[in-house]
Amino acid sequence: MSDNRVWSYSTVLMGSPVLLKLFSHDEALASRVFSLIKKYEDLFTVNRAQSQVMEINHAAGQQSVVVSRPVYELIKCAKAASMVRDSAFNLAIGPLVKLWRIGFKGDSVPGAQDIAARLRITRPQDVVLDDAAHSVFLTQPGMEIDLGAIAKGFIADRVRDYLHQQGVSDGLINLGGNVQTLGNPQGQWTIGVKKPFADADALVGSIEVANKSVVTSGTYERYFEQDGKRWHHILDPRSGYPLDNELDSVTIISADSLDGDIWTTLIFGLGVEKGCAALRQHEDIEAIFVTKNRDIILSSQRQFRFTQCDDSYHLID
Ligand code: FAD
Ligand code: MG
Ligand code: MG
């Protein structure tokens, strides 16, 4: 008889709860997975003085910096997502993220002049890449790359690849909002879609998937309140203020978590209607929108099944 028991391993990395689920008791494997995540965190982080991304940022306006392959590839991918017409995704958003400090100590609404000044040094086209040298140059002094909207997706995919390489075909990794699932011998994985601004375990619904990524971005995870308003951490690269539209959260279902992470930000910029239209060109990317006026909208349901858990929301599909 096969043993389908699930073992859970957890830690905190990238300022986020990290959860690994396996169908075997294997502390050594879990610890190798956490080391892998830590290795990437050390390369990508902008929350410490030193990392490869910080080397690039420290050299802004001065010189190009040669970086390792994963750093170069992720920056190249983040730049491509930033250069899409009307994209809300901007890898050069760092100076604004640092100004707002949302989710960190000392967050407050900055002055309009400070925001305007920082907007001038957040142009993605000023991130200059050299494929042959694997180097990155930020042409304006003060520029800063921030991979916070994409790095967890990239890392979740690397964990999946590593588990496959180790002969593990079943399991799940959750990097605090970025879930990448492998198979599940019991059938499928059930992933909750959180209820915005409610208890941590309250759900508006859940979906069942296997071998898919499920990424959620919301206005309710990292925010602060000032002047009777909530200010959340997904910034509009055009205005320099948090993106303000009908959305409380977006969940993206896709094969790769990298795509999921990029699309959550793109969709936040587009809103429901334009977001759905954009997804019609991308059959393998699907979205669950949760709006402020309590609608749940499914762009399509090819790769998952949705079950509603909260009657105060209206399901529209
Ligand atoms: P997403 O919606 O996927 O991304 C939002 C984040 O992307 C913002 O927090 C900001 O960093 C950035 N961003 C905002 N607007 C835009 C935009 N328009 N375009 C592109 N990017 C944008 N948190 C801690 O508290 N302490 C830590 O030490 C810490 N270390 C981290 C190290 C790494 C390598 C990474 C990837 C994250 C780390 N974090 C840390 C968390 C980080 O600060 C962000 O909160 C997190 O990445 C947000 O991810 P998300 O999936 O919740 O949100
Ligand atoms: Mg994310
Ligand atoms: Mg994202």
PDB file of all heavy atoms in Angstrom, residues 39-40 43-44 52 65-77 131 133-136 147 154 158:
ATOM      1  N   LYS A  39      20.130  31.036  -1.271  1.00  0.00           N
ATOM      2  CA  LYS A  39      21.174  31.411  -2.243  1.00  0.00           C
ATOM      3  C   LYS A  39      20.629  32.476  -3.197  1.00  0.00           C
ATOM      4  O   LYS A  39      21.286  33.485  -3.465  1.00  0.00           O
ATOM      5  CB  LYS A  39      21.606  30.156  -3.027  1.00  0.00           C
ATOM      6  CG  LYS A  39      22.727  30.398  -4.008  1.00  0.00           C
ATOM      7  CD  LYS A  39      22.978  29.196  -4.902  1.00  0.00           C
ATOM      8  CE  LYS A  39      22.161  29.306  -6.191  1.00  0.00           C
ATOM      9  NZ  LYS A  39      22.418  28.235  -7.173  1.00  0.00           N
ATOM     10  N   TYR A  40      19.405  32.271  -3.673  1.00  0.00           N
ATOM     11  CA  TYR A  40      18.810  33.262  -4.589  1.00  0.00           C
ATOM     12  C   TYR A  40      18.464  34.555  -3.849  1.00  0.00           C
ATOM     13  O   TYR A  40      18.650  35.648  -4.392  1.00  0.00           O
ATOM     14  CB  TYR A  40      17.568  32.686  -5.276  1.00  0.00           C
ATOM     15  CG  TYR A  40      17.900  31.672  -6.347  1.00  0.00           C
ATOM     16  CD1 TYR A  40      17.421  30.371  -6.285  1.00  0.00           C
ATOM     17  CD2 TYR A  40      18.710  32.026  -7.426  1.00  0.00           C
ATOM     18  CE1 TYR A  40      17.733  29.444  -7.267  1.00  0.00           C
ATOM     19  CE2 TYR A  40      19.027  31.099  -8.418  1.00  0.00           C
ATOM     20  CZ  TYR A  40      18.531  29.813  -8.325  1.00  0.00           C
ATOM     21  OH  TYR A  40      18.847  28.897  -9.298  1.00  0.00           O
ATOM     22  N   LEU A  43      21.387  36.732  -3.705  1.00  0.00           N
ATOM     23  CA  LEU A  43      21.724  37.384  -4.980  1.00  0.00           C
ATOM     24  C   LEU A  43      20.802  38.569  -5.274  1.00  0.00           C
ATOM     25  O   LEU A  43      21.234  39.605  -5.773  1.00  0.00           O
ATOM     26  CB  LEU A  43      21.594  36.382  -6.142  1.00  0.00           C
ATOM     27  CG  LEU A  43      22.594  35.246  -6.241  1.00  0.00           C
ATOM     28  CD1 LEU A  43      22.195  34.304  -7.382  1.00  0.00           C
ATOM     29  CD2 LEU A  43      24.005  35.785  -6.497  1.00  0.00           C
ATOM     30  N   PHE A  44      19.501  38.382  -4.981  1.00  0.00           N
ATOM     31  CA  PHE A  44      18.478  39.324  -5.473  1.00  0.00           C
ATOM     32  C   PHE A  44      18.072  40.409  -4.481  1.00  0.00           C
ATOM     33  O   PHE A  44      17.441  41.388  -4.860  1.00  0.00           O
ATOM     34  CB  PHE A  44      17.191  38.567  -5.834  1.00  0.00           C
ATOM     35  CG  PHE A  44      17.344  37.546  -6.930  1.00  0.00           C
ATOM     36  CD1 PHE A  44      16.647  36.332  -6.870  1.00  0.00           C
ATOM     37  CD2 PHE A  44      18.158  37.785  -8.020  1.00  0.00           C
ATOM     38  CE1 PHE A  44      16.770  35.385  -7.879  1.00  0.00           C
ATOM     39  CE2 PHE A  44      18.285  36.841  -9.035  1.00  0.00           C
ATOM     40  CZ  PHE A  44      17.590  35.641  -8.956  1.00  0.00           C
ATOM     41  N   GLN A  52      24.108  40.949  -5.347  1.00  0.00           N
ATOM     42  CA  GLN A  52      24.493  41.327  -6.716  1.00  0.00           C
ATOM     43  C   GLN A  52      23.625  42.461  -7.236  1.00  0.00           C
ATOM     44  O   GLN A  52      24.102  43.360  -7.931  1.00  0.00           O
ATOM     45  CB  GLN A  52      24.430  40.115  -7.641  1.00  0.00           C
ATOM     46  CG  GLN A  52      25.656  39.240  -7.470  1.00  0.00           C
ATOM     47  CD  GLN A  52      25.850  38.257  -8.610  1.00  0.00           C
ATOM     48  OE1 GLN A  52      25.140  38.271  -9.624  1.00  0.00           O
ATOM     49  NE2 GLN A  52      26.824  37.389  -8.439  1.00  0.00           N
ATOM     50  N   VAL A  65      27.969  46.545 -14.234  1.00  0.00           N
ATOM     51  CA  VAL A  65      28.406  45.503 -13.298  1.00  0.00           C
ATOM     52  C   VAL A  65      28.129  44.138 -13.933  1.00  0.00           C
ATOM     53  O   VAL A  65      27.025  43.891 -14.419  1.00  0.00           O
ATOM     54  CB  VAL A  65      27.642  45.629 -11.964  1.00  0.00           C
ATOM     55  CG1 VAL A  65      27.975  44.473 -11.027  1.00  0.00           C
ATOM     56  CG2 VAL A  65      27.940  46.963 -11.298  1.00  0.00           C
ATOM     57  N   VAL A  66      29.137  43.288 -13.943  1.00  0.00           N
ATOM     58  CA  VAL A  66      28.967  41.928 -14.460  1.00  0.00           C
ATOM     59  C   VAL A  66      28.323  41.080 -13.362  1.00  0.00           C
ATOM     60  O   VAL A  66      28.762  41.116 -12.212  1.00  0.00           O
ATOM     61  CB  VAL A  66      30.331  41.325 -14.867  1.00  0.00           C
ATOM     62  CG1 VAL A  66      30.165  39.870 -15.311  1.00  0.00           C
ATOM     63  CG2 VAL A  66      30.965  42.160 -15.975  1.00  0.00           C
ATOM     64  N   VAL A  67      27.249  40.364 -13.723  1.00  0.00           N
ATOM     65  CA  VAL A  67      26.526  39.574 -12.721  1.00  0.00           C
ATOM     66  C   VAL A  67      26.413  38.118 -13.144  1.00  0.00           C
ATOM     67  O   VAL A  67      26.688  37.774 -14.290  1.00  0.00           O
ATOM     68  CB  VAL A  67      25.106  40.156 -12.461  1.00  0.00           C
ATOM     69  CG1 VAL A  67      25.184  41.478 -11.740  1.00  0.00           C
ATOM     70  CG2 VAL A  67      24.313  40.276 -13.754  1.00  0.00           C
ATOM     71  N   SER A  68      25.988  37.277 -12.223  1.00  0.00           N
ATOM     72  CA  SER A  68      25.841  35.845 -12.501  1.00  0.00           C
ATOM     73  C   SER A  68      24.644  35.607 -13.423  1.00  0.00           C
ATOM     74  O   SER A  68      23.789  36.472 -13.583  1.00  0.00           O
ATOM     75  CB  SER A  68      25.658  35.080 -11.185  1.00  0.00           C
ATOM     76  OG  SER A  68      24.470  35.533 -10.573  1.00  0.00           O
ATOM     77  N   ARG A  69      24.599  34.409 -13.966  1.00  0.00           N
ATOM     78  CA  ARG A  69      23.560  34.101 -14.947  1.00  0.00           C
ATOM     79  C   ARG A  69      22.129  34.298 -14.410  1.00  0.00           C
ATOM     80  O   ARG A  69      21.324  34.943 -15.070  1.00  0.00           O
ATOM     81  CB  ARG A  69      23.751  32.677 -15.465  1.00  0.00           C
ATOM     82  CG  ARG A  69      22.705  32.269 -16.492  1.00  0.00           C
ATOM     83  CD  ARG A  69      22.721  30.781 -16.688  1.00  0.00           C
ATOM     84  NE  ARG A  69      23.896  30.392 -17.455  1.00  0.00           N
ATOM     85  CZ  ARG A  69      23.860  30.178 -18.781  1.00  0.00           C
ATOM     86  NH1 ARG A  69      22.756  30.301 -19.444  1.00  0.00           N
ATOM     87  NH2 ARG A  69      24.946  29.827 -19.421  1.00  0.00           N
ATOM     88  N   PRO A  70      21.787  33.751 -13.218  1.00  0.00           N
ATOM     89  CA  PRO A  70      20.393  33.944 -12.772  1.00  0.00           C
ATOM     90  C   PRO A  70      20.026  35.417 -12.582  1.00  0.00           C
ATOM     91  O   PRO A  70      18.903  35.815 -12.894  1.00  0.00           O
ATOM     92  CB  PRO A  70      20.309  33.189 -11.444  1.00  0.00           C
ATOM     93  CG  PRO A  70      21.687  32.800 -11.078  1.00  0.00           C
ATOM     94  CD  PRO A  70      22.541  32.875 -12.289  1.00  0.00           C
ATOM     95  N   VAL A  71      20.952  36.212 -12.085  1.00  0.00           N
ATOM     96  CA  VAL A  71      20.665  37.638 -11.881  1.00  0.00           C
ATOM     97  C   VAL A  71      20.459  38.307 -13.236  1.00  0.00           C
ATOM     98  O   VAL A  71      19.496  39.052 -13.442  1.00  0.00           O
ATOM     99  CB  VAL A  71      21.801  38.325 -11.081  1.00  0.00           C
ATOM    100  CG1 VAL A  71      21.588  39.830 -11.017  1.00  0.00           C
ATOM    101  CG2 VAL A  71      21.889  37.731  -9.685  1.00  0.00           C
ATOM    102  N   TYR A  72      21.342  37.995 -14.178  1.00  0.00           N
ATOM    103  CA  TYR A  72      21.219  38.608 -15.504  1.00  0.00           C
ATOM    104  C   TYR A  72      19.897  38.198 -16.165  1.00  0.00           C
ATOM    105  O   TYR A  72      19.163  39.041 -16.681  1.00  0.00           O
ATOM    106  CB  TYR A  72      22.406  38.213 -16.400  1.00  0.00           C
ATOM    107  CG  TYR A  72      22.408  39.015 -17.681  1.00  0.00           C
ATOM    108  CD1 TYR A  72      22.873  40.320 -17.706  1.00  0.00           C
ATOM    109  CD2 TYR A  72      21.864  38.477 -18.852  1.00  0.00           C
ATOM    110  CE1 TYR A  72      22.826  41.090 -18.868  1.00  0.00           C
ATOM    111  CE2 TYR A  72      21.803  39.229 -20.010  1.00  0.00           C
ATOM    112  CZ  TYR A  72      22.291  40.529 -20.014  1.00  0.00           C
ATOM    113  OH  TYR A  72      22.228  41.280 -21.167  1.00  0.00           O
ATOM    114  N   GLU A  73      19.605  36.897 -16.108  1.00  0.00           N
ATOM    115  CA  GLU A  73      18.390  36.412 -16.785  1.00  0.00           C
ATOM    116  C   GLU A  73      17.117  37.002 -16.168  1.00  0.00           C
ATOM    117  O   GLU A  73      16.185  37.362 -16.886  1.00  0.00           O
ATOM    118  CB  GLU A  73      18.347  34.885 -16.771  1.00  0.00           C
ATOM    119  CG  GLU A  73      19.297  34.335 -17.815  1.00  0.00           C
ATOM    120  CD  GLU A  73      19.328  32.823 -17.877  1.00  0.00           C
ATOM    121  OE1 GLU A  73      18.641  32.156 -17.075  1.00  0.00           O
ATOM    122  OE2 GLU A  73      20.069  32.317 -18.741  1.00  0.00           O
ATOM    123  N   LEU A  74      17.097  37.094 -14.851  1.00  0.00           N
ATOM    124  CA  LEU A  74      15.893  37.624 -14.211  1.00  0.00           C
ATOM    125  C   LEU A  74      15.739  39.117 -14.524  1.00  0.00           C
ATOM    126  O   LEU A  74      14.624  39.588 -14.786  1.00  0.00           O
ATOM    127  CB  LEU A  74      15.924  37.370 -12.693  1.00  0.00           C
ATOM    128  CG  LEU A  74      14.642  37.746 -11.955  1.00  0.00           C
ATOM    129  CD1 LEU A  74      13.426  37.043 -12.544  1.00  0.00           C
ATOM    130  CD2 LEU A  74      14.754  37.415 -10.468  1.00  0.00           C
ATOM    131  N   ILE A  75      16.836  39.843 -14.525  1.00  0.00           N
ATOM    132  CA  ILE A  75      16.762  41.275 -14.849  1.00  0.00           C
ATOM    133  C   ILE A  75      16.336  41.463 -16.305  1.00  0.00           C
ATOM    134  O   ILE A  75      15.508  42.318 -16.621  1.00  0.00           O
ATOM    135  CB  ILE A  75      18.113  41.970 -14.560  1.00  0.00           C
ATOM    136  CG1 ILE A  75      18.316  42.057 -13.045  1.00  0.00           C
ATOM    137  CG2 ILE A  75      18.180  43.358 -15.203  1.00  0.00           C
ATOM    138  CD1 ILE A  75      19.640  42.627 -12.599  1.00  0.00           C
ATOM    139  N   LYS A  76      16.838  40.611 -17.178  1.00  0.00           N
ATOM    140  CA  LYS A  76      16.456  40.712 -18.594  1.00  0.00           C
ATOM    141  C   LYS A  76      14.954  40.476 -18.762  1.00  0.00           C
ATOM    142  O   LYS A  76      14.265  41.203 -19.488  1.00  0.00           O
ATOM    143  CB  LYS A  76      17.256  39.692 -19.413  1.00  0.00           C
ATOM    144  CG  LYS A  76      17.068  39.874 -20.892  1.00  0.00           C
ATOM    145  CD  LYS A  76      18.053  39.086 -21.700  1.00  0.00           C
ATOM    146  CE  LYS A  76      17.694  39.302 -23.175  1.00  0.00           C
ATOM    147  NZ  LYS A  76      18.672  38.807 -24.097  1.00  0.00           N
ATOM    148  N   CYS A  77      14.468  39.480 -18.056  1.00  0.00           N
ATOM    149  CA  CYS A  77      13.051  39.149 -18.117  1.00  0.00           C
ATOM    150  C   CYS A  77      12.205  40.288 -17.504  1.00  0.00           C
ATOM    151  O   CYS A  77      11.160  40.671 -18.056  1.00  0.00           O
ATOM    152  CB  CYS A  77      12.894  37.848 -17.349  1.00  0.00           C
ATOM    153  SG  CYS A  77      11.275  37.252 -17.266  1.00  0.00           S
ATOM    154  N   ASP A 131      24.259  41.486 -23.296  1.00  0.00           N
ATOM    155  CA  ASP A 131      24.129  40.022 -23.296  1.00  0.00           C
ATOM    156  C   ASP A 131      25.482  39.316 -23.325  1.00  0.00           C
ATOM    157  O   ASP A 131      25.653  38.277 -22.690  1.00  0.00           O
ATOM    158  CB  ASP A 131      23.329  39.564 -24.522  1.00  0.00           C
ATOM    159  CG  ASP A 131      21.830  39.750 -24.317  1.00  0.00           C
ATOM    160  OD1 ASP A 131      21.416  39.980 -23.165  1.00  0.00           O
ATOM    161  OD2 ASP A 131      21.090  39.665 -25.317  1.00  0.00           O
ATOM    162  N   ALA A 133      28.453  40.381 -22.264  1.00  0.00           N
ATOM    163  CA  ALA A 133      29.231  40.543 -21.022  1.00  0.00           C
ATOM    164  C   ALA A 133      28.452  40.106 -19.778  1.00  0.00           C
ATOM    165  O   ALA A 133      29.032  39.977 -18.707  1.00  0.00           O
ATOM    166  CB  ALA A 133      29.651  41.999 -20.879  1.00  0.00           C
ATOM    167  N   HIS A 134      27.140  39.872 -19.909  1.00  0.00           N
ATOM    168  CA  HIS A 134      26.291  39.614 -18.738  1.00  0.00           C
ATOM    169  C   HIS A 134      26.385  40.765 -17.744  1.00  0.00           C
ATOM    170  O   HIS A 134      26.522  40.565 -16.538  1.00  0.00           O
ATOM    171  CB  HIS A 134      26.682  38.320 -18.033  1.00  0.00           C
ATOM    172  CG  HIS A 134      25.852  37.156 -18.456  1.00  0.00           C
ATOM    173  ND1 HIS A 134      25.666  36.057 -17.660  1.00  0.00           N
ATOM    174  CD2 HIS A 134      25.146  36.947 -19.567  1.00  0.00           C
ATOM    175  CE1 HIS A 134      24.897  35.196 -18.294  1.00  0.00           C
ATOM    176  NE2 HIS A 134      24.568  35.729 -19.456  1.00  0.00           N
ATOM    177  N   SER A 135      26.337  41.992 -18.291  1.00  0.00           N
ATOM    178  CA  SER A 135      26.483  43.137 -17.388  1.00  0.00           C
ATOM    179  C   SER A 135      25.245  44.022 -17.438  1.00  0.00           C
ATOM    180  O   SER A 135      24.480  44.013 -18.415  1.00  0.00           O
ATOM    181  CB  SER A 135      27.724  43.949 -17.759  1.00  0.00           C
ATOM    182  OG  SER A 135      27.534  44.581 -19.006  1.00  0.00           O
ATOM    183  N   VAL A 136      25.054  44.770 -16.367  1.00  0.00           N
ATOM    184  CA  VAL A 136      23.897  45.652 -16.219  1.00  0.00           C
ATOM    185  C   VAL A 136      24.410  47.035 -15.829  1.00  0.00           C
ATOM    186  O   VAL A 136      25.256  47.157 -14.939  1.00  0.00           O
ATOM    187  CB  VAL A 136      22.946  45.140 -15.111  1.00  0.00           C
ATOM    188  CG1 VAL A 136      21.690  46.010 -15.026  1.00  0.00           C
ATOM    189  CG2 VAL A 136      22.572  43.673 -15.349  1.00  0.00           C
ATOM    190  N   LEU A 147      13.472  43.768  -7.589  1.00  0.00           N
ATOM    191  CA  LEU A 147      12.890  42.562  -8.193  1.00  0.00           C
ATOM    192  C   LEU A 147      11.805  41.945  -7.306  1.00  0.00           C
ATOM    193  O   LEU A 147      11.438  40.785  -7.468  1.00  0.00           O
ATOM    194  CB  LEU A 147      14.004  41.548  -8.493  1.00  0.00           C
ATOM    195  CG  LEU A 147      15.090  42.046  -9.456  1.00  0.00           C
ATOM    196  CD1 LEU A 147      16.215  41.033  -9.578  1.00  0.00           C
ATOM    197  CD2 LEU A 147      14.514  42.357 -10.842  1.00  0.00           C
ATOM    198  N   PHE A 154      10.351  33.531  -9.844  1.00  0.00           N
ATOM    199  CA  PHE A 154      11.536  32.880 -10.406  1.00  0.00           C
ATOM    200  C   PHE A 154      12.029  31.785  -9.463  1.00  0.00           C
ATOM    201  O   PHE A 154      12.318  30.662  -9.880  1.00  0.00           O
ATOM    202  CB  PHE A 154      12.627  33.943 -10.621  1.00  0.00           C
ATOM    203  CG  PHE A 154      13.942  33.397 -11.095  1.00  0.00           C
ATOM    204  CD1 PHE A 154      14.195  33.241 -12.445  1.00  0.00           C
ATOM    205  CD2 PHE A 154      14.934  33.045 -10.177  1.00  0.00           C
ATOM    206  CE1 PHE A 154      15.419  32.746 -12.883  1.00  0.00           C
ATOM    207  CE2 PHE A 154      16.154  32.547 -10.602  1.00  0.00           C
ATOM    208  CZ  PHE A 154      16.401  32.393 -11.954  1.00  0.00           C
ATOM    209  N   ARG A 158      12.500  27.587  -9.684  1.00  0.00           N
ATOM    210  CA  ARG A 158      13.775  26.889  -9.498  1.00  0.00           C
ATOM    211  C   ARG A 158      13.606  25.769  -8.466  1.00  0.00           C
ATOM    212  O   ARG A 158      14.237  24.720  -8.581  1.00  0.00           O
ATOM    213  CB  ARG A 158      14.883  27.862  -9.054  1.00  0.00           C
ATOM    214  CG  ARG A 158      15.226  28.962 -10.054  1.00  0.00           C
ATOM    215  CD  ARG A 158      15.850  28.452 -11.358  1.00  0.00           C
ATOM    216  NE  ARG A 158      14.893  27.847 -12.279  1.00  0.00           N
ATOM    217  CZ  ARG A 158      14.028  28.549 -13.039  1.00  0.00           C
ATOM    218  NH1 ARG A 158      13.978  29.864 -12.979  1.00  0.00           N
ATOM    219  NH2 ARG A 158      13.206  27.914 -13.860  1.00  0.00           N
TER     220      ARG A 158
END
